[in-house]
Amino acid sequence: MLEIPQEMVDRVVAHGRRDHPDECCGVIAAKDGAATRIFEMENAERSPTGFVFDSQEWLRVYRDIDDADEELLAVYHSHTATEAYPSRTDVRWSATAGFPHWLLVSTRSAELELRSFTIEDGVVTEEEVRVT
Amino acid sequence: MAIEVRIPTILRTYTGGEKLVEGSGDTLTALLDDLDSRYDGLRGRLITDAGALHRFVNVYVNDEDVRFLGGLETKLADGDSVTVLPAVAGGSR
């Protein structure tokens, strides 16, 4: 289960719609497992079919989180023409990226489509998004 | 020659949980060889079998991404700081 406040859900959805037709991406940090902060990141690839964290921005964000003794809770990104479900590319990157949760939003329609997953050893498992 | 190396959470299994380790070497390659002698397996997570920097990691020297410096041949000097982070990417294709 991924537990995040309504404000973060709204931010992720708004970010996805703003960057559409390109994919958006970002990070949610936590302290002792509870979501604390959301970082809207640049998609260095500026692509409708992929995202890459900008390496300089990622260094600043990671250090900010680490220095505050917070941890990485979730990485989020959008799919712009397909469902909010991890692609093979997502599964491949999940092995080394170090995020417990993968939060996806689809911006293919006006309908809200936000889903969260754990990906372990290539196995994708959907989980509840509990909004607080 | 002491160089401070910051290790991300996901690779701390190789450093006994330490987030800050020290190493030596006059290039990034030499530093990684030195670290691997004490933290077995760490080098293999950063460098491919073909000897290139793995695309799944970012390495920074004094906060500059080494892909924009000299890659694995980036020169190091006493007091430099090296940071390793997972690269993060994905997408629908």
Side-chain angles (χ1 to χ4, degrees):
Chain A
M1 179 188 67
L2 176 66
E3 194 170 295
I4 51 174
Q6 182 69 50
E7 180 245 335
M8 289 190 190
V9 170
D10 295 344
R11 291 267 301 270
V12 169
V13 173
H15 190 191
R17 291 187 175 148
R18 192 170 70 242
D19 284 7
H20 187 89
D22 289 341
E23 293 194 7
C24 76
C25 55
V27 170
I28 297 173
K31 188 141 195 167
D32 302 325
T36 49
R37 292 190 287 170
I38 183 167
F39 297 86
E40 296 179 11
M41 309 274 295
E42 289 290 322
N43 176 0
E45 202 169 274
R46 290 179 191 283
S47 159
T49 57
F51 77 91
V52 178
F53 280 7
D54 174 81
S55 67
Q56 286 303 322
E57 182 181 37
W58 177 220
L59 177 64
R60 288 192 301 274
V61 166
Y62 190 94
R63 195 163 282 170
D64 186 349
I65 292 169
D66 203 40
D67 287 348
D69 282 324
E70 292 173 301
E71 66 258 2
L72 303 175
L73 180 66
V75 56
Y76 74 82
H77 74 286
S78 60
H79 286 175
T80 59
T82 56
E83 64 177 334
Y85 190 90
S87 66
R88 274 190 292 181
T89 309
D90 295 332
V91 172
R92 198 159 61 238
W93 281 92
S94 71
T96 51
F99 289 91
H101 305 275
W102 281 64
L103 180 65
L104 279 87
V105 60
S106 175
T107 56
R108 62 180 168 173
S109 76
E111 199 175 314
L112 175 65
E113 207 183 319
L114 184 85
R115 298 165 72 184
S116 185
F117 304 86
T118 59
I119 310 175
E120 274 180 45
D121 298 330
V123 178
V124 175
T125 308
E126 183 156 15
E127 59 183 355
E128 181 192 351
V129 180
R130 184 170 293 171
V131 180
T132 58
Chain B
M1 187 159 89
I3 292 155
E4 179 187 281
V5 185
R6 288 172 73 128
I7 305 291
T9 313
I10 192 165
L11 294 179
R12 287 176 199 163
T13 48
Y14 295 94
T15 60
E18 292 297 323
K19 74 176 188 182
L20 204 58
V21 299
E22 245 182 36
S24 64
D26 55 5
T27 62
L28 188 55
T29 298
L31 172 71
L32 295 180
D33 286 345
D34 174 56
L35 290 178
D36 204 57
S37 66
R38 274 165 290 129
Y39 307 108
D40 187 36
L42 182 63
R43 187 180 188 279
R45 291 291 298 268
L46 308 180
I47 308 220
T48 65
D49 292 343
L53 184 62
H54 219 299
R55 70 191 188 101
F56 294 106
V57 293
N58 294 342
V59 179
Y60 307 82
V61 172
N62 302 327
D63 295 354
E64 287 290 325
D65 188 333
V66 299
R67 289 190 178 89
F68 305 114
L69 298 172
L72 289 168
E73 297 315 310
T74 300
K75 296 266 184 281
L76 298 174
D78 196 21
D80 278 350
S81 156
V82 171
T83 301
V84 179
L85 286 189
V88 182
S92 58
R93 49 110 173 63

